[in-house]
Structure formats: structure tokens, C-alpha cells
């Protein structure tokens, strides 16, 4: 199961789905506030626990008791939180430049938390504003999504009030203090990959995960930005495939 980062949507995993689908059944899911996922329940909390447990609900809905999970950025934080709350659901966990630490977000995301300014920024999302955020996410701009993809995503955010509402509620509700506190509860094998040119979460944060998660494997990928799976797919897939393919004792 693949869980994208905030604003990334499952479409950012297109190449990875193709890479893995020859050997695995692959699910790519948009968490609440992303892509085609809308929150229908009035009592949904929109915080990290609620989003993580909504992924568990998806597993139940498709009849999966346990999966290997890959999470990018905030998607990595949600996958990590699920591994803490329901460790029996995740057999192996791959985190790509993950959230999950109690550190400040970059200013672009902090802006969305402001009551009026954030709402206006979301309401007038454009392909140009998405392109700005992606340029910061990529060390190799030529590997960014095509402009028509950005225009489609921007149009969905502008014209679908329920998507904007859920996106902003998640952004304003999620905090990672509990996730960092409970890192020692993760019991499955964990691989963390990070780009050395990440401008959203610096690779120096990797040590905070490495010191708390038992037996974690870590690699810093040279020349990769925050979207390392698209920036440097060859390096990412080499580590990913070695980790997912048994036997673990031979890694």
C-alpha cells in the first residue's frame, strides 16, 4: 500500500505502482483531504490518529489484514502512526522523507493554518503555485509532473469546496508530537530513505528516527530532493526492492 504526501495525491506514485505491480498487488490510497477522498462523517477528527486509522478502515474495506506500506512525507507520518497504533496491520514499513517528528513545517504549509489567509490560498490555488511547491520538492525539475497534471489538480482544489475543507482541516489538525513520542512502539522492519537535497525536511532529521525505531535501516540518497522516488527512482527502487523481497535475513 502506497500513501502519498500532503498535496501529492496517489497520482505521484504512478511510476512506483508500475515498478511494483509485476510482483505485488499494489494499492495507492489518498488519505482524507487528498485526491478523490472526501470526509463524510461529521465526527471525523482530522488529526494524525484519525487519518492513520482511516487507512486501517480502508484495509478492512478491501479485506486486507496486513500489508507492506510505503509512505512519503506526511503519508509516511500517517503510515508510521498506524504502525504505532495497530502494529499488527503492517508487515514492513518504507518511509520516504517522512513526517512524524515534532518539528515546524515549512512556511508554505504553515500558511494554510491561518484562518483567512489559508482559506484564500487554497481557494485560489493555481498550477503556478503548485509548480512552486514542487520545484522545492524536486532536485531535478525536469522530473516534475507535467503542466496538464498540475492544472487538473489545481482545478479540483479550486472548484471542489469539500476537498478544500477537508484539506485545510487536516492541515490545521495534524500534529506529530504523539507520533514521535511513540516511535519505540514500531515493531515491524522499517526502511527510511531520504534525499540529501531535501528542502522540506532536512536529512539531518533522519537521526531522530534512527535512534528511536528498533532495528531501522536508513539510507541517504545523493542528489535527491524531497520527492526522491521521482527524483532518483533508480536509487529508490534498488533499496525498496531489496527491502521488500525476502528473505530479510539476507539484507
Amino acid at each position: 500500500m502506497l500513501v502519498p504526501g500532503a498535496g501529492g495525491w496517489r497520482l505521484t506514485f504512478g511510476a512506483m505502482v508500475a515498478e511494483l505491480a509485476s510482483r505485488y498487488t499494489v494499492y495507492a490510497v489518498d488519505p482524507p483531504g487528498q485526491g478523490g477522498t472526501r470526509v463524510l462523517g461529521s465526527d471525523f477528527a482530522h488529526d494524525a490518529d484519525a487519518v492513520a486509522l482511516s487507512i486501517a478502515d480502508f484495509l478492512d474495506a478491501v479485506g486486507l489484514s496486513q500489508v507492506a506500506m510505503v509512505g512519503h512525507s506526511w503519508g509516511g507520518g500517517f503510515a508510521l502512526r498506524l504502525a504505532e497504533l495497530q502494529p499488527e496491520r503492517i508487515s514492513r514499513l518504507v518511509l520516504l522523507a517522512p513526517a512524524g517528528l515534532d518539528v515546524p513545517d515549512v512556511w508554505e504549509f504553515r500558511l494554510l493554518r491561518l484562518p483567512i489567509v489559508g482559506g484564500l490560498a487554497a481557494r485560489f490555488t493555481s498550477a503556478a503555485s503548485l509548480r512552486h511547491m514542487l520545484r522545492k520538492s524536486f532536485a531535478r525539475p525536469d522530473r516534475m509532473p507535467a503542466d496538464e497534471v498540475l492544472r487538473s489538480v489545481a482545478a479540483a482544489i479550486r472548484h471542489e469546496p469539500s476537498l478544500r475543507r477537508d484539506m485545510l482541516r487536516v492541515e490545521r489538525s495534524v500534529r506529530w508530537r504523539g507520533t514521535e513520542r511513540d516511535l519505540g512502539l514500531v515493531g515491524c522492519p522499517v526502511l527510511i530513505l531520504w534525499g540529501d537535497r531535501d528542502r522540506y525536511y532536512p536529512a539531518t532529521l533522519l537521526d531522530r528516527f534512527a535512534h528511536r525505531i528498533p532495528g531501522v535501516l536508513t539510507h541517504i540518497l545523493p542528489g535527491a530532493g524531497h520527492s526522491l522516488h521521482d527524483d532518483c527512482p533508480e536509487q529508490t527502487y534498488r533499496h525498496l526492492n531489496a527491502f521488500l523481497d525476502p528473505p530479510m535475513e539476507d539484507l
Side-chain angles (χ1 to χ4, degrees), residues 138-171:
F138 279 75
R140 302 180 183 186
D142 59 301
R143 300 196 174 187
M144 287 170 50
D147 283 350
E148 57 266 27
V149 174
L150 301 184
R151 286 193 290 269
S152 175
V153 171
I157 295 173
R158 285 199 310 272
H159 300 308
E160 297 187 35
S162 63
L163 174 57
R164 291 200 308 276
R165 178 201 65 204
D166 296 339
M167 181 182 70
L168 290 171
R169 286 178 178 174
V170 169
E171 177 61 40

Short mmCIF file of all heavy atoms in Angstrom, two decimals, residues 138-171:
data_model
loop_
_atom_site.label_atom_id
_atom_site.label_comp_id
_atom_site.label_asym_id
_atom_site.label_seq_id
_atom_site.Cartn_x
_atom_site.Cartn_y
_atom_site.Cartn_z
N PHE A 138 11.66 18.93 -5.67
CA PHE A 138 12.49 18.19 -6.62
C PHE A 138 13.88 18.81 -6.72
O PHE A 138 14.02 20.03 -6.83
CB PHE A 138 11.86 18.20 -8.02
CG PHE A 138 10.77 17.18 -8.21
CD1 PHE A 138 9.52 17.38 -7.65
CD2 PHE A 138 10.99 16.04 -8.96
CE1 PHE A 138 8.50 16.45 -7.84
CE2 PHE A 138 9.99 15.11 -9.14
CZ PHE A 138 8.75 15.31 -8.58
N ALA A 139 14.89 17.96 -6.69
CA ALA A 139 16.25 18.41 -7.01
C ALA A 139 16.45 18.46 -8.52
O ALA A 139 17.33 19.16 -9.01
CB ALA A 139 17.28 17.49 -6.37
N ARG A 140 15.62 17.70 -9.26
CA ARG A 140 15.71 17.63 -10.72
C ARG A 140 14.38 18.11 -11.30
O ARG A 140 13.45 17.32 -11.48
CB ARG A 140 16.00 16.20 -11.16
CG ARG A 140 17.29 15.66 -10.56
CD ARG A 140 17.57 14.24 -11.00
NE ARG A 140 18.76 13.71 -10.36
CZ ARG A 140 19.31 12.53 -10.66
NH1 ARG A 140 18.74 11.74 -11.56
NH2 ARG A 140 20.40 12.13 -10.04
N PRO A 141 14.26 19.40 -11.61
CA PRO A 141 12.97 19.95 -12.07
C PRO A 141 12.43 19.28 -13.31
O PRO A 141 11.21 19.28 -13.53
CB PRO A 141 13.30 21.43 -12.32
CG PRO A 141 14.50 21.71 -11.47
CD PRO A 141 15.29 20.44 -11.45
N ASP A 142 13.31 18.71 -14.15
CA ASP A 142 12.83 18.06 -15.38
C ASP A 142 12.00 16.81 -15.09
O ASP A 142 11.32 16.29 -15.99
CB ASP A 142 14.01 17.70 -16.28
CG ASP A 142 14.99 16.75 -15.60
OD1 ASP A 142 15.53 17.13 -14.54
OD2 ASP A 142 15.23 15.65 -16.14
N ARG A 143 12.01 16.35 -13.85
CA ARG A 143 11.25 15.15 -13.48
C ARG A 143 9.94 15.49 -12.77
O ARG A 143 9.25 14.60 -12.28
CB ARG A 143 12.11 14.24 -12.62
CG ARG A 143 13.37 13.79 -13.35
CD ARG A 143 14.05 12.61 -12.70
NE ARG A 143 15.16 12.16 -13.52
CZ ARG A 143 15.88 11.06 -13.29
NH1 ARG A 143 15.59 10.31 -12.25
NH2 ARG A 143 16.87 10.72 -14.08
N MET A 144 9.61 16.77 -12.72
CA MET A 144 8.34 17.17 -12.12
C MET A 144 7.16 16.72 -12.99
O MET A 144 7.32 16.47 -14.18
CB MET A 144 8.30 18.70 -11.97
CG MET A 144 9.19 19.24 -10.87
SD MET A 144 9.32 21.05 -10.91
CE MET A 144 7.59 21.54 -11.01
N PRO A 145 5.95 16.60 -12.40
CA PRO A 145 4.78 16.26 -13.20
C PRO A 145 4.53 17.28 -14.31
O PRO A 145 4.91 18.45 -14.20
CB PRO A 145 3.64 16.27 -12.18
CG PRO A 145 4.30 16.05 -10.86
CD PRO A 145 5.65 16.70 -10.97
N ALA A 146 3.88 16.83 -15.37
CA ALA A 146 3.59 17.71 -16.50
C ALA A 146 2.61 18.81 -16.10
O ALA A 146 1.82 18.66 -15.17
CB ALA A 146 3.01 16.88 -17.65
N ASP A 147 2.64 19.91 -16.84
CA ASP A 147 1.79 21.05 -16.52
C ASP A 147 0.31 20.70 -16.54
O ASP A 147 -0.47 21.23 -15.76
CB ASP A 147 2.06 22.19 -17.51
CG ASP A 147 3.35 22.94 -17.18
OD1 ASP A 147 3.93 22.69 -16.10
OD2 ASP A 147 3.79 23.76 -18.01
N GLU A 148 -0.09 19.79 -17.46
CA GLU A 148 -1.52 19.46 -17.52
C GLU A 148 -1.98 18.75 -16.25
O GLU A 148 -3.13 18.89 -15.82
CB GLU A 148 -1.83 18.61 -18.74
CG GLU A 148 -1.05 17.33 -18.87
CD GLU A 148 0.19 17.49 -19.74
OE1 GLU A 148 0.73 18.62 -19.82
OE2 GLU A 148 0.61 16.48 -20.34
N VAL A 149 -1.08 17.99 -15.62
CA VAL A 149 -1.41 17.35 -14.34
C VAL A 149 -1.60 18.41 -13.27
O VAL A 149 -2.55 18.36 -12.48
CB VAL A 149 -0.32 16.35 -13.94
CG1 VAL A 149 -0.58 15.79 -12.54
CG2 VAL A 149 -0.22 15.21 -14.95
N LEU A 150 -0.71 19.39 -13.23
CA LEU A 150 -0.82 20.45 -12.23
C LEU A 150 -2.09 21.27 -12.43
O LEU A 150 -2.76 21.64 -11.45
CB LEU A 150 0.41 21.37 -12.30
CG LEU A 150 1.77 20.70 -12.07
CD1 LEU A 150 2.88 21.74 -12.08
CD2 LEU A 150 1.79 19.92 -10.77
N ARG A 151 -2.45 21.53 -13.67
CA ARG A 151 -3.67 22.28 -13.93
C ARG A 151 -4.90 21.50 -13.47
O ARG A 151 -5.85 22.08 -12.92
CB ARG A 151 -3.78 22.62 -15.42
CG ARG A 151 -2.82 23.72 -15.87
CD ARG A 151 -3.19 24.23 -17.26
NE ARG A 151 -2.92 23.23 -18.28
CZ ARG A 151 -1.76 23.12 -18.94
NH1 ARG A 151 -0.77 23.97 -18.67
NH2 ARG A 151 -1.61 22.20 -19.87
N SER A 152 -4.88 20.20 -13.67
CA SER A 152 -6.01 19.37 -13.25
C SER A 152 -6.16 19.36 -11.73
O SER A 152 -7.27 19.49 -11.20
CB SER A 152 -5.83 17.94 -13.78
OG SER A 152 -6.83 17.10 -13.30
N VAL A 153 -5.04 19.22 -11.02
CA VAL A 153 -5.07 19.22 -9.56
C VAL A 153 -5.52 20.57 -9.03
O VAL A 153 -6.37 20.66 -8.13
CB VAL A 153 -3.69 18.83 -8.99
CG1 VAL A 153 -3.66 19.03 -7.48
CG2 VAL A 153 -3.34 17.40 -9.35
N ALA A 154 -4.97 21.65 -9.59
CA ALA A 154 -5.35 22.99 -9.15
C ALA A 154 -6.83 23.24 -9.36
O ALA A 154 -7.51 23.82 -8.50
CB ALA A 154 -4.52 24.04 -9.89
N ALA A 155 -7.37 22.79 -10.49
CA ALA A 155 -8.80 22.98 -10.76
C ALA A 155 -9.66 22.23 -9.76
O ALA A 155 -10.70 22.74 -9.30
CB ALA A 155 -9.11 22.53 -12.19
N ALA A 156 -9.24 21.02 -9.39
CA ALA A 156 -10.00 20.25 -8.41
C ALA A 156 -10.05 20.96 -7.07
O ALA A 156 -11.10 21.03 -6.42
CB ALA A 156 -9.40 18.86 -8.26
N ILE A 157 -8.92 21.51 -6.64
CA ILE A 157 -8.88 22.21 -5.35
C ILE A 157 -9.72 23.48 -5.40
O ILE A 157 -10.46 23.80 -4.45
CB ILE A 157 -7.42 22.54 -4.97
CG1 ILE A 157 -6.62 21.24 -4.74
CG2 ILE A 157 -7.36 23.42 -3.72
CD1 ILE A 157 -5.15 21.45 -4.52
N ARG A 158 -9.65 24.21 -6.51
CA ARG A 158 -10.42 25.47 -6.62
C ARG A 158 -11.92 25.23 -6.66
O ARG A 158 -12.69 25.98 -6.06
CB ARG A 158 -10.00 26.24 -7.88
CG ARG A 158 -8.66 26.93 -7.81
CD ARG A 158 -8.56 28.00 -8.89
NE ARG A 158 -8.92 27.49 -10.21
CZ ARG A 158 -8.07 26.91 -11.06
NH1 ARG A 158 -6.81 26.74 -10.69
NH2 ARG A 158 -8.47 26.50 -12.24
N HIS A 159 -12.34 24.19 -7.36
CA HIS A 159 -13.76 24.04 -7.68
C HIS A 159 -14.51 23.05 -6.80
O HIS A 159 -15.72 22.88 -6.96
CB HIS A 159 -13.92 23.65 -9.14
CG HIS A 159 -13.36 24.65 -10.10
ND1 HIS A 159 -13.69 25.99 -10.06
CD2 HIS A 159 -12.45 24.52 -11.11
CE1 HIS A 159 -13.04 26.63 -11.01
NE2 HIS A 159 -12.29 25.78 -11.66
N GLU A 160 -13.81 22.39 -5.87
CA GLU A 160 -14.48 21.41 -5.01
C GLU A 160 -14.36 21.86 -3.55
O GLU A 160 -13.35 21.59 -2.89
CB GLU A 160 -13.88 20.02 -5.20
CG GLU A 160 -14.06 19.48 -6.61
CD GLU A 160 -13.62 18.04 -6.73
OE1 GLU A 160 -13.80 17.27 -5.76
OE2 GLU A 160 -13.09 17.68 -7.79
N PRO A 161 -15.36 22.56 -3.04
CA PRO A 161 -15.29 23.08 -1.66
C PRO A 161 -15.06 22.00 -0.62
O PRO A 161 -14.36 22.24 0.37
CB PRO A 161 -16.65 23.75 -1.47
CG PRO A 161 -17.11 24.07 -2.85
CD PRO A 161 -16.58 22.98 -3.72
N SER A 162 -15.62 20.80 -0.82
CA SER A 162 -15.44 19.74 0.18
C SER A 162 -13.98 19.30 0.25
O SER A 162 -13.47 18.98 1.32
CB SER A 162 -16.34 18.55 -0.13
OG SER A 162 -16.01 17.96 -1.38
N LEU A 163 -13.30 19.28 -0.89
CA LEU A 163 -11.88 18.92 -0.90
C LEU A 163 -11.06 19.98 -0.17
O LEU A 163 -10.21 19.65 0.66
CB LEU A 163 -11.38 18.76 -2.33
CG LEU A 163 -9.88 18.53 -2.50
CD1 LEU A 163 -9.41 17.30 -1.74
CD2 LEU A 163 -9.52 18.40 -3.98
N ARG A 164 -11.32 21.25 -0.45
CA ARG A 164 -10.60 22.32 0.24
C ARG A 164 -10.86 22.26 1.74
O ARG A 164 -9.94 22.41 2.55
CB ARG A 164 -11.01 23.69 -0.30
CG ARG A 164 -10.56 23.98 -1.70
CD ARG A 164 -10.56 25.48 -1.97
NE ARG A 164 -11.82 26.12 -1.65
CZ ARG A 164 -12.87 26.17 -2.46
NH1 ARG A 164 -12.82 25.59 -3.64
NH2 ARG A 164 -13.98 26.79 -2.09
N ARG A 165 -12.11 22.04 2.11
CA ARG A 165 -12.47 21.99 3.54
C ARG A 165 -11.69 20.88 4.24
O ARG A 165 -11.07 21.11 5.29
CB ARG A 165 -13.97 21.74 3.67
CG ARG A 165 -14.48 21.60 5.11
CD ARG A 165 -15.80 20.86 5.11
NE ARG A 165 -15.64 19.48 4.66
CZ ARG A 165 -16.63 18.76 4.13
NH1 ARG A 165 -17.83 19.27 3.96
NH2 ARG A 165 -16.40 17.51 3.76
N ASP A 166 -11.70 19.68 3.67
CA ASP A 166 -11.02 18.56 4.31
C ASP A 166 -9.51 18.76 4.32
O ASP A 166 -8.84 18.46 5.32
CB ASP A 166 -11.36 17.25 3.58
CG ASP A 166 -12.83 16.89 3.68
OD1 ASP A 166 -13.50 17.40 4.61
OD2 ASP A 166 -13.30 16.12 2.84
N MET A 167 -8.97 19.28 3.23
CA MET A 167 -7.53 19.52 3.14
C MET A 167 -7.08 20.48 4.24
O MET A 167 -6.08 20.24 4.93
CB MET A 167 -7.18 20.07 1.77
CG MET A 167 -5.69 20.35 1.55
SD MET A 167 -5.37 21.05 -0.09
CE MET A 167 -6.09 22.70 0.12
N LEU A 168 -7.83 21.58 4.41
CA LEU A 168 -7.46 22.57 5.41
C LEU A 168 -7.66 22.03 6.83
O LEU A 168 -6.85 22.30 7.72
CB LEU A 168 -8.28 23.84 5.22
CG LEU A 168 -7.94 24.65 3.96
CD1 LEU A 168 -8.95 25.76 3.75
CD2 LEU A 168 -6.53 25.23 4.06
N ARG A 169 -8.71 21.26 7.05
CA ARG A 169 -8.94 20.71 8.39
C ARG A 169 -7.83 19.74 8.78
O ARG A 169 -7.38 19.73 9.93
CB ARG A 169 -10.30 20.04 8.45
CG ARG A 169 -11.47 21.01 8.49
CD ARG A 169 -12.81 20.29 8.50
NE ARG A 169 -13.92 21.23 8.60
CZ ARG A 169 -15.19 20.89 8.51
NH1 ARG A 169 -15.53 19.62 8.33
NH2 ARG A 169 -16.14 21.81 8.62
N VAL A 170 -7.39 18.92 7.83
CA VAL A 170 -6.27 18.01 8.12
C VAL A 170 -5.00 18.81 8.40
O VAL A 170 -4.30 18.58 9.40
CB VAL A 170 -6.06 17.02 6.96
CG1 VAL A 170 -4.74 16.26 7.14
CG2 VAL A 170 -7.22 16.04 6.88
N GLU A 171 -4.71 19.77 7.55
CA GLU A 171 -3.50 20.58 7.73
C GLU A 171 -3.51 21.28 9.08
O GLU A 171 -2.48 21.37 9.76
CB GLU A 171 -3.40 21.61 6.61
CG GLU A 171 -2.22 22.55 6.74
CD GLU A 171 -0.88 21.85 6.73
OE1 GLU A 171 -0.72 20.90 5.94
OE2 GLU A 171 0.00 22.23 7.52
#
